[in-house]
Amino acid sequence: MAKTVNFTVRVDADIKEEAEELFKDLGLNLTSAVNIFLRECVRRNGIPFEVSRNAAKAKIEELER
């Protein structure tokens, strides 16, 4: 059996709530969704979506509105 560990992540409360609702609709909980994300990062040897300065800057500007 795989060894598991706990870790703490700080996240905006509204985002967490929205994500939990989304994952519930998908039949997942937050822990399962995070594990899927981490496994996909390892499988791809990187983040499984585009990350760039322009994308990050646009996202920050969107969140600040």
PDB file of all heavy atoms in Angstrom, residues 1-31:
ATOM      1  N   MET A   1       0.844  -1.187   0.000  1.00  0.00           N
ATOM      2  CA  MET A   1       0.000   0.000   0.000  1.00  0.00           C
ATOM      3  C   MET A   1       0.886   1.246   0.000  1.00  0.00           C
ATOM      4  O   MET A   1       1.901   1.294   0.679  1.00  0.00           O
ATOM      5  CB  MET A   1      -0.911  -0.018   1.226  1.00  0.00           C
ATOM      6  CG  MET A   1      -1.874   1.127   1.287  1.00  0.00           C
ATOM      7  SD  MET A   1      -3.023   0.898   2.661  1.00  0.00           S
ATOM      8  CE  MET A   1      -4.126   2.204   2.309  1.00  0.00           C
ATOM      9  N   ALA A   2       0.487   2.256  -0.764  1.00  0.00           N
ATOM     10  CA  ALA A   2       1.267   3.482  -0.873  1.00  0.00           C
ATOM     11  C   ALA A   2       1.225   4.274   0.439  1.00  0.00           C
ATOM     12  O   ALA A   2       0.185   4.336   1.100  1.00  0.00           O
ATOM     13  CB  ALA A   2       0.730   4.343  -1.995  1.00  0.00           C
ATOM     14  N   LYS A   3       2.351   4.859   0.783  1.00  0.00           N
ATOM     15  CA  LYS A   3       2.422   5.716   1.965  1.00  0.00           C
ATOM     16  C   LYS A   3       1.819   7.074   1.601  1.00  0.00           C
ATOM     17  O   LYS A   3       2.098   7.630   0.537  1.00  0.00           O
ATOM     18  CB  LYS A   3       3.882   5.889   2.378  1.00  0.00           C
ATOM     19  CG  LYS A   3       4.072   6.778   3.561  1.00  0.00           C
ATOM     20  CD  LYS A   3       5.536   6.908   3.924  1.00  0.00           C
ATOM     21  CE  LYS A   3       5.695   7.899   5.047  1.00  0.00           C
ATOM     22  NZ  LYS A   3       7.116   8.117   5.353  1.00  0.00           N
ATOM     23  N   THR A   4       0.970   7.607   2.462  1.00  0.00           N
ATOM     24  CA  THR A   4       0.368   8.912   2.205  1.00  0.00           C
ATOM     25  C   THR A   4       0.833   9.908   3.254  1.00  0.00           C
ATOM     26  O   THR A   4       1.247   9.532   4.348  1.00  0.00           O
ATOM     27  CB  THR A   4      -1.171   8.844   2.222  1.00  0.00           C
ATOM     28  OG1 THR A   4      -1.606   8.442   3.521  1.00  0.00           O
ATOM     29  CG2 THR A   4      -1.688   7.880   1.167  1.00  0.00           C
ATOM     30  N   VAL A   5       0.765  11.178   2.909  1.00  0.00           N
ATOM     31  CA  VAL A   5       1.114  12.258   3.824  1.00  0.00           C
ATOM     32  C   VAL A   5       0.046  13.339   3.730  1.00  0.00           C
ATOM     33  O   VAL A   5      -0.672  13.429   2.730  1.00  0.00           O
ATOM     34  CB  VAL A   5       2.498  12.877   3.498  1.00  0.00           C
ATOM     35  CG1 VAL A   5       3.611  11.863   3.683  1.00  0.00           C
ATOM     36  CG2 VAL A   5       2.531  13.465   2.103  1.00  0.00           C
ATOM     37  N   ASN A   6      -0.054  14.148   4.732  1.00  0.00           N
ATOM     38  CA  ASN A   6      -0.944  15.307   4.715  1.00  0.00           C
ATOM     39  C   ASN A   6      -0.124  16.538   4.379  1.00  0.00           C
ATOM     40  O   ASN A   6       1.047  16.637   4.755  1.00  0.00           O
ATOM     41  CB  ASN A   6      -1.599  15.506   6.083  1.00  0.00           C
ATOM     42  CG  ASN A   6      -2.582  14.416   6.408  1.00  0.00           C
ATOM     43  OD1 ASN A   6      -3.277  13.908   5.540  1.00  0.00           O
ATOM     44  ND2 ASN A   6      -2.635  14.037   7.670  1.00  0.00           N
ATOM     45  N   PHE A   7      -0.734  17.482   3.652  1.00  0.00           N
ATOM     46  CA  PHE A   7      -0.097  18.773   3.442  1.00  0.00           C
ATOM     47  C   PHE A   7      -1.169  19.845   3.430  1.00  0.00           C
ATOM     48  O   PHE A   7      -2.336  19.590   3.160  1.00  0.00           O
ATOM     49  CB  PHE A   7       0.780  18.789   2.180  1.00  0.00           C
ATOM     50  CG  PHE A   7       0.028  18.830   0.880  1.00  0.00           C
ATOM     51  CD1 PHE A   7      -0.149  20.031   0.210  1.00  0.00           C
ATOM     52  CD2 PHE A   7      -0.461  17.675   0.307  1.00  0.00           C
ATOM     53  CE1 PHE A   7      -0.815  20.061  -1.007  1.00  0.00           C
ATOM     54  CE2 PHE A   7      -1.130  17.693  -0.900  1.00  0.00           C
ATOM     55  CZ  PHE A   7      -1.309  18.897  -1.566  1.00  0.00           C
ATOM     56  N   THR A   8      -0.764  21.058   3.750  1.00  0.00           N
ATOM     57  CA  THR A   8      -1.690  22.174   3.880  1.00  0.00           C
ATOM     58  C   THR A   8      -1.452  23.161   2.750  1.00  0.00           C
ATOM     59  O   THR A   8      -0.309  23.480   2.433  1.00  0.00           O
ATOM     60  CB  THR A   8      -1.480  22.883   5.232  1.00  0.00           C
ATOM     61  OG1 THR A   8      -1.646  21.923   6.275  1.00  0.00           O
ATOM     62  CG2 THR A   8      -2.460  24.019   5.421  1.00  0.00           C
ATOM     63  N   VAL A   9      -2.534  23.630   2.152  1.00  0.00           N
ATOM     64  CA  VAL A   9      -2.462  24.614   1.081  1.00  0.00           C
ATOM     65  C   VAL A   9      -3.414  25.749   1.421  1.00  0.00           C
ATOM     66  O   VAL A   9      -4.572  25.513   1.771  1.00  0.00           O
ATOM     67  CB  VAL A   9      -2.874  23.975  -0.272  1.00  0.00           C
ATOM     68  CG1 VAL A   9      -2.861  24.998  -1.379  1.00  0.00           C
ATOM     69  CG2 VAL A   9      -1.987  22.801  -0.599  1.00  0.00           C
ATOM     70  N   ARG A  10      -2.934  26.977   1.300  1.00  0.00           N
ATOM     71  CA  ARG A  10      -3.813  28.130   1.505  1.00  0.00           C
ATOM     72  C   ARG A  10      -4.447  28.481   0.166  1.00  0.00           C
ATOM     73  O   ARG A  10      -3.773  28.569  -0.848  1.00  0.00           O
ATOM     74  CB  ARG A  10      -3.016  29.309   2.054  1.00  0.00           C
ATOM     75  CG  ARG A  10      -2.436  29.018   3.432  1.00  0.00           C
ATOM     76  CD  ARG A  10      -1.789  30.227   4.053  1.00  0.00           C
ATOM     77  NE  ARG A  10      -2.730  31.308   4.286  1.00  0.00           N
ATOM     78  CZ  ARG A  10      -3.546  31.410   5.329  1.00  0.00           C
ATOM     79  NH1 ARG A  10      -3.565  30.470   6.238  1.00  0.00           N
ATOM     80  NH2 ARG A  10      -4.343  32.448   5.459  1.00  0.00           N
ATOM     81  N   VAL A  11      -5.766  28.651   0.186  1.00  0.00           N
ATOM     82  CA  VAL A  11      -6.500  28.943  -1.041  1.00  0.00           C
ATOM     83  C   VAL A  11      -7.672  29.857  -0.701  1.00  0.00           C
ATOM     84  O   VAL A  11      -8.201  29.813   0.414  1.00  0.00           O
ATOM     85  CB  VAL A  11      -6.970  27.628  -1.719  1.00  0.00           C
ATOM     86  CG1 VAL A  11      -7.938  26.881  -0.850  1.00  0.00           C
ATOM     87  CG2 VAL A  11      -7.547  27.884  -3.081  1.00  0.00           C
ATOM     88  N   ASP A  12      -8.065  30.673  -1.640  1.00  0.00           N
ATOM     89  CA  ASP A  12      -9.215  31.553  -1.470  1.00  0.00           C
ATOM     90  C   ASP A  12     -10.441  30.700  -1.139  1.00  0.00           C
ATOM     91  O   ASP A  12     -10.708  29.700  -1.806  1.00  0.00           O
ATOM     92  CB  ASP A  12      -9.433  32.339  -2.765  1.00  0.00           C
ATOM     93  CG  ASP A  12     -10.607  33.275  -2.684  1.00  0.00           C
ATOM     94  OD1 ASP A  12     -11.749  32.796  -2.871  1.00  0.00           O
ATOM     95  OD2 ASP A  12     -10.394  34.473  -2.439  1.00  0.00           O
ATOM     96  N   ALA A  13     -11.186  31.098  -0.118  1.00  0.00           N
ATOM     97  CA  ALA A  13     -12.332  30.316   0.357  1.00  0.00           C
ATOM     98  C   ALA A  13     -13.391  30.125  -0.731  1.00  0.00           C
ATOM     99  O   ALA A  13     -13.975  29.043  -0.858  1.00  0.00           O
ATOM    100  CB  ALA A  13     -12.950  30.981   1.582  1.00  0.00           C
ATOM    101  N   ASP A  14     -13.637  31.175  -1.523  1.00  0.00           N
ATOM    102  CA  ASP A  14     -14.651  31.066  -2.585  1.00  0.00           C
ATOM    103  C   ASP A  14     -14.224  30.083  -3.667  1.00  0.00           C
ATOM    104  O   ASP A  14     -15.034  29.297  -4.157  1.00  0.00           O
ATOM    105  CB  ASP A  14     -14.919  32.442  -3.214  1.00  0.00           C
ATOM    106  CG  ASP A  14     -15.611  33.390  -2.249  1.00  0.00           C
ATOM    107  OD1 ASP A  14     -16.295  32.912  -1.322  1.00  0.00           O
ATOM    108  OD2 ASP A  14     -15.470  34.621  -2.432  1.00  0.00           O
ATOM    109  N   ILE A  15     -12.945  30.119  -4.027  1.00  0.00           N
ATOM    110  CA  ILE A  15     -12.438  29.187  -5.041  1.00  0.00           C
ATOM    111  C   ILE A  15     -12.540  27.754  -4.537  1.00  0.00           C
ATOM    112  O   ILE A  15     -12.952  26.848  -5.270  1.00  0.00           O
ATOM    113  CB  ILE A  15     -10.974  29.520  -5.415  1.00  0.00           C
ATOM    114  CG1 ILE A  15     -10.894  30.867  -6.124  1.00  0.00           C
ATOM    115  CG2 ILE A  15     -10.344  28.418  -6.259  1.00  0.00           C
ATOM    116  CD1 ILE A  15     -11.599  30.924  -7.458  1.00  0.00           C
ATOM    117  N   LYS A  16     -12.181  27.539  -3.281  1.00  0.00           N
ATOM    118  CA  LYS A  16     -12.264  26.201  -2.697  1.00  0.00           C
ATOM    119  C   LYS A  16     -13.701  25.689  -2.755  1.00  0.00           C
ATOM    120  O   LYS A  16     -13.960  24.564  -3.162  1.00  0.00           O
ATOM    121  CB  LYS A  16     -11.765  26.193  -1.260  1.00  0.00           C
ATOM    122  CG  LYS A  16     -11.862  24.816  -0.602  1.00  0.00           C
ATOM    123  CD  LYS A  16     -11.363  24.874   0.843  1.00  0.00           C
ATOM    124  CE  LYS A  16     -11.464  23.526   1.504  1.00  0.00           C
ATOM    125  NZ  LYS A  16     -12.730  23.268   2.137  1.00  0.00           N
ATOM    126  N   GLU A  17     -14.646  26.539  -2.370  1.00  0.00           N
ATOM    127  CA  GLU A  17     -16.054  26.144  -2.377  1.00  0.00           C
ATOM    128  C   GLU A  17     -16.539  25.815  -3.785  1.00  0.00           C
ATOM    129  O   GLU A  17     -17.203  24.792  -4.002  1.00  0.00           O
ATOM    130  CB  GLU A  17     -16.906  27.273  -1.781  1.00  0.00           C
ATOM    131  CG  GLU A  17     -18.356  26.917  -1.619  1.00  0.00           C
ATOM    132  CD  GLU A  17     -19.153  28.040  -0.970  1.00  0.00           C
ATOM    133  OE1 GLU A  17     -18.702  28.568   0.063  1.00  0.00           O
ATOM    134  OE2 GLU A  17     -20.216  28.380  -1.515  1.00  0.00           O
ATOM    135  N   GLU A  18     -16.186  26.656  -4.750  1.00  0.00           N
ATOM    136  CA  GLU A  18     -16.584  26.405  -6.139  1.00  0.00           C
ATOM    137  C   GLU A  18     -15.953  25.125  -6.669  1.00  0.00           C
ATOM    138  O   GLU A  18     -16.608  24.345  -7.374  1.00  0.00           O
ATOM    139  CB  GLU A  18     -16.205  27.591  -7.020  1.00  0.00           C
ATOM    140  CG  GLU A  18     -17.073  28.812  -6.790  1.00  0.00           C
ATOM    141  CD  GLU A  18     -16.690  29.965  -7.701  1.00  0.00           C
ATOM    142  OE1 GLU A  18     -16.398  29.714  -8.894  1.00  0.00           O
ATOM    143  OE2 GLU A  18     -16.682  31.113  -7.229  1.00  0.00           O
ATOM    144  N   ALA A  19     -14.687  24.924  -6.340  1.00  0.00           N
ATOM    145  CA  ALA A  19     -13.990  23.711  -6.795  1.00  0.00           C
ATOM    146  C   ALA A  19     -14.629  22.473  -6.178  1.00  0.00           C
ATOM    147  O   ALA A  19     -14.835  21.463  -6.866  1.00  0.00           O
ATOM    148  CB  ALA A  19     -12.513  23.788  -6.434  1.00  0.00           C
ATOM    149  N   GLU A  20     -14.962  22.535  -4.895  1.00  0.00           N
ATOM    150  CA  GLU A  20     -15.601  21.386  -4.241  1.00  0.00           C
ATOM    151  C   GLU A  20     -16.939  21.053  -4.890  1.00  0.00           C
ATOM    152  O   GLU A  20     -17.263  19.874  -5.079  1.00  0.00           O
ATOM    153  CB  GLU A  20     -15.771  21.649  -2.745  1.00  0.00           C
ATOM    154  CG  GLU A  20     -14.477  21.558  -1.978  1.00  0.00           C
ATOM    155  CD  GLU A  20     -14.615  21.910  -0.511  1.00  0.00           C
ATOM    156  OE1 GLU A  20     -15.380  22.840  -0.178  1.00  0.00           O
ATOM    157  OE2 GLU A  20     -13.947  21.256   0.300  1.00  0.00           O
ATOM    158  N   GLU A  21     -17.711  22.081  -5.260  1.00  0.00           N
ATOM    159  CA  GLU A  21     -18.985  21.851  -5.944  1.00  0.00           C
ATOM    160  C   GLU A  21     -18.749  21.181  -7.301  1.00  0.00           C
ATOM    161  O   GLU A  21     -19.446  20.233  -7.662  1.00  0.00           O
ATOM    162  CB  GLU A  21     -19.736  23.171  -6.145  1.00  0.00           C
ATOM    163  CG  GLU A  21     -20.339  23.730  -4.878  1.00  0.00           C
ATOM    164  CD  GLU A  21     -21.051  25.055  -5.123  1.00  0.00           C
ATOM    165  OE1 GLU A  21     -21.596  25.246  -6.233  1.00  0.00           O
ATOM    166  OE2 GLU A  21     -21.040  25.890  -4.207  1.00  0.00           O
ATOM    167  N   LEU A  22     -17.781  21.691  -8.048  1.00  0.00           N
ATOM    168  CA  LEU A  22     -17.448  21.120  -9.350  1.00  0.00           C
ATOM    169  C   LEU A  22     -17.029  19.666  -9.209  1.00  0.00           C
ATOM    170  O   LEU A  22     -17.546  18.786  -9.900  1.00  0.00           O
ATOM    171  CB  LEU A  22     -16.322  21.919 -10.007  1.00  0.00           C
ATOM    172  CG  LEU A  22     -15.681  21.276 -11.236  1.00  0.00           C
ATOM    173  CD1 LEU A  22     -16.678  21.186 -12.383  1.00  0.00           C
ATOM    174  CD2 LEU A  22     -14.441  22.030 -11.634  1.00  0.00           C
ATOM    175  N   PHE A  23     -16.098  19.405  -8.291  1.00  0.00           N
ATOM    176  CA  PHE A  23     -15.600  18.044  -8.129  1.00  0.00           C
ATOM    177  C   PHE A  23     -16.690  17.100  -7.639  1.00  0.00           C
ATOM    178  O   PHE A  23     -16.742  15.945  -8.047  1.00  0.00           O
ATOM    179  CB  PHE A  23     -14.386  18.018  -7.194  1.00  0.00           C
ATOM    180  CG  PHE A  23     -13.225  18.832  -7.715  1.00  0.00           C
ATOM    181  CD1 PHE A  23     -12.458  19.583  -6.847  1.00  0.00           C
ATOM    182  CD2 PHE A  23     -12.907  18.854  -9.061  1.00  0.00           C
ATOM    183  CE1 PHE A  23     -11.386  20.326  -7.314  1.00  0.00           C
ATOM    184  CE2 PHE A  23     -11.842  19.598  -9.544  1.00  0.00           C
ATOM    185  CZ  PHE A  23     -11.073  20.345  -8.660  1.00  0.00           C
ATOM    186  N   LYS A  24     -17.594  17.607  -6.802  1.00  0.00           N
ATOM    187  CA  LYS A  24     -18.716  16.776  -6.345  1.00  0.00           C
ATOM    188  C   LYS A  24     -19.566  16.346  -7.542  1.00  0.00           C
ATOM    189  O   LYS A  24     -19.957  15.182  -7.643  1.00  0.00           O
ATOM    190  CB  LYS A  24     -19.566  17.541  -5.339  1.00  0.00           C
ATOM    191  CG  LYS A  24     -20.717  16.728  -4.789  1.00  0.00           C
ATOM    192  CD  LYS A  24     -21.516  17.529  -3.773  1.00  0.00           C
ATOM    193  CE  LYS A  24     -22.689  16.708  -3.262  1.00  0.00           C
ATOM    194  NZ  LYS A  24     -23.510  17.455  -2.323  1.00  0.00           N
ATOM    195  N   ASP A  25     -19.822  17.292  -8.457  1.00  0.00           N
ATOM    196  CA  ASP A  25     -20.584  16.963  -9.663  1.00  0.00           C
ATOM    197  C   ASP A  25     -19.869  15.919 -10.519  1.00  0.00           C
ATOM    198  O   ASP A  25     -20.506  15.170 -11.259  1.00  0.00           O
ATOM    199  CB  ASP A  25     -20.847  18.213 -10.507  1.00  0.00           C
ATOM    200  CG  ASP A  25     -21.859  19.158  -9.875  1.00  0.00           C
ATOM    201  OD1 ASP A  25     -22.557  18.745  -8.923  1.00  0.00           O
ATOM    202  OD2 ASP A  25     -21.932  20.322 -10.318  1.00  0.00           O
ATOM    203  N   LEU A  26     -18.539  15.899 -10.422  1.00  0.00           N
ATOM    204  CA  LEU A  26     -17.739  14.940 -11.180  1.00  0.00           C
ATOM    205  C   LEU A  26     -17.523  13.634 -10.419  1.00  0.00           C
ATOM    206  O   LEU A  26     -16.839  12.736 -10.897  1.00  0.00           O
ATOM    207  CB  LEU A  26     -16.372  15.554 -11.523  1.00  0.00           C
ATOM    208  CG  LEU A  26     -16.403  16.781 -12.437  1.00  0.00           C
ATOM    209  CD1 LEU A  26     -15.022  17.405 -12.528  1.00  0.00           C
ATOM    210  CD2 LEU A  26     -16.928  16.405 -13.812  1.00  0.00           C
ATOM    211  N   GLY A  27     -18.101  13.543  -9.217  1.00  0.00           N
ATOM    212  CA  GLY A  27     -17.959  12.336  -8.417  1.00  0.00           C
ATOM    213  C   GLY A  27     -16.631  12.255  -7.671  1.00  0.00           C
ATOM    214  O   GLY A  27     -16.189  11.166  -7.305  1.00  0.00           O
ATOM    215  N   LEU A  28     -16.006  13.412  -7.454  1.00  0.00           N
ATOM    216  CA  LEU A  28     -14.710  13.461  -6.775  1.00  0.00           C
ATOM    217  C   LEU A  28     -14.799  14.329  -5.528  1.00  0.00           C
ATOM    218  O   LEU A  28     -15.696  15.154  -5.395  1.00  0.00           O
ATOM    219  CB  LEU A  28     -13.649  14.097  -7.695  1.00  0.00           C
ATOM    220  CG  LEU A  28     -13.374  13.426  -9.027  1.00  0.00           C
ATOM    221  CD1 LEU A  28     -12.526  14.337  -9.906  1.00  0.00           C
ATOM    222  CD2 LEU A  28     -12.671  12.102  -8.795  1.00  0.00           C
ATOM    223  N   ASN A  29     -13.831  14.144  -4.643  1.00  0.00           N
ATOM    224  CA  ASN A  29     -13.663  15.097  -3.555  1.00  0.00           C
ATOM    225  C   ASN A  29     -12.388  15.892  -3.833  1.00  0.00           C
ATOM    226  O   ASN A  29     -11.660  15.608  -4.794  1.00  0.00           O
ATOM    227  CB  ASN A  29     -13.625  14.402  -2.183  1.00  0.00           C
ATOM    228  CG  ASN A  29     -12.497  13.402  -2.074  1.00  0.00           C
ATOM    229  OD1 ASN A  29     -11.437  13.558  -2.648  1.00  0.00           O
ATOM    230  ND2 ASN A  29     -12.734  12.348  -1.319  1.00  0.00           N
ATOM    231  N   LEU A  30     -12.119  16.887  -3.021  1.00  0.00           N
ATOM    232  CA  LEU A  30     -10.974  17.759  -3.251  1.00  0.00           C
ATOM    233  C   LEU A  30      -9.661  16.979  -3.201  1.00  0.00           C
ATOM    234  O   LEU A  30      -8.767  17.194  -4.028  1.00  0.00           O
ATOM    235  CB  LEU A  30     -10.970  18.898  -2.230  1.00  0.00           C
ATOM    236  CG  LEU A  30     -10.005  20.046  -2.469  1.00  0.00           C
ATOM    237  CD1 LEU A  30     -10.199  20.666  -3.843  1.00  0.00           C
ATOM    238  CD2 LEU A  30     -10.180  21.100  -1.389  1.00  0.00           C
ATOM    239  N   THR A  31      -9.543  16.059  -2.291  1.00  0.00           N
ATOM    240  CA  THR A  31      -8.326  15.250  -2.181  1.00  0.00           C
ATOM    241  C   THR A  31      -8.083  14.450  -3.455  1.00  0.00           C
ATOM    242  O   THR A  31      -6.966  14.429  -3.984  1.00  0.00           O
ATOM    243  CB  THR A  31      -8.416  14.302  -0.967  1.00  0.00           C
ATOM    244  OG1 THR A  31      -8.522  15.092   0.218  1.00  0.00           O
ATOM    245  CG2 THR A  31      -7.205  13.402  -0.877  1.00  0.00           C
TER     246      THR A  31
END
